[in-house]
Every structure is written in C-alpha cells, then in structure tokens.
Amino acid sequence: MTAHHYLGRRKPYMVGETGTVEDTNRPGRKGRWFRNARDKIKARFPHLHALVYLDYDTSPNEGCCNWRLNTSQSSLRGFRALARDRHFWTRR
C-alpha cells in the first residue's frame, strides 16, 4: 500500500517540490501542464492540498533549466488557474 492510499484517506498532504519547463517545439505546453496538474490532483488525489513549485532559473549555473513561473504568458496563466482553484485554498 502506498503512502497516498494509507494517508490520503485520513489527512491532507503535500508535494514538497515540483516544476516544469517550456518546450520550444510545443508552445503553451507549460501552461497546459499547470492546468492538467490542477485537474488531476483534484480528481485523483483529493487530499493533496499543497504543491510547492520550484520557481528558480538554474540555467546560468547549470546550463539547464528555467523553472520560473513567468517564462511565458501561457505558463503564468496556467499557474494562476491552478493556484486560484478553491481546492488549494488554505482557509475555507
């Protein structure tokens, strides 16, 4: 039995760190990733109430990757759609 199955039915939990990057071959993919994450979390992981996003640009130091939220308007809109969803509100 996974921790999700054991704890997920009893108390809220969080993902400690996640992120996504732009795909130059698929414009808008990063924004869709945020909206898909929102929808999947609500449908499959209803007790997941916090998601810590890595908002950092490692490209100057490591040569890869820009994880920041504002790498495109699509990304920023997708993140806002996820963050503004009532499922993630800490006070109800």
Side-chain angles (χ1 to χ4, degrees):
M1 181 177 289
T2 65
H4 162 70
H5 288 99
Y6 179 71
L7 296 175
R9 294 185 178 124
R10 297 181 4 183
K11 60 191 274 185
Y13 58 96
M14 68 181 279
V15 170
E17 185 175 293
T18 192
T20 185
V21 296
E22 296 288 352
D23 182 345
T24 56
N25 295 318
R26 295 171 50 199
R29 186 206 60 83
K30 187 172 179 178
R32 284 189 302 276
W33 185 91
F34 286 115
R35 288 184 294 281
N36 288 339
R38 174 201 60 199
D39 297 342
K40 298 282 184 187
I41 288 168
K42 288 169 45 177
R44 297 183 62 201
F45 306 101
H47 294 288
L48 176 61
H49 286 280
L51 185 69
V52 178
Y53 186 81
L54 176 65
D55 185 38
Y56 186 70
D57 184 2
T58 61
S59 54
N61 301 326
E62 299 173 18
C64 170
C65 295
N66 189 347
W67 304 98
R68 291 182 300 181
L69 297 170
N70 62 350
T71 53
S72 69
Q73 285 300 311
S74 171
S75 172
L76 198 51
R77 283 191 302 269
F79 175 76
R80 285 178 178 153
L82 178 133
R84 290 179 175 161
D85 192 284
R86 288 182 63 95
H87 179 80
F88 298 100
W89 290 8
T90 57
R91 296 182 183 155
R92 295 180 194 233

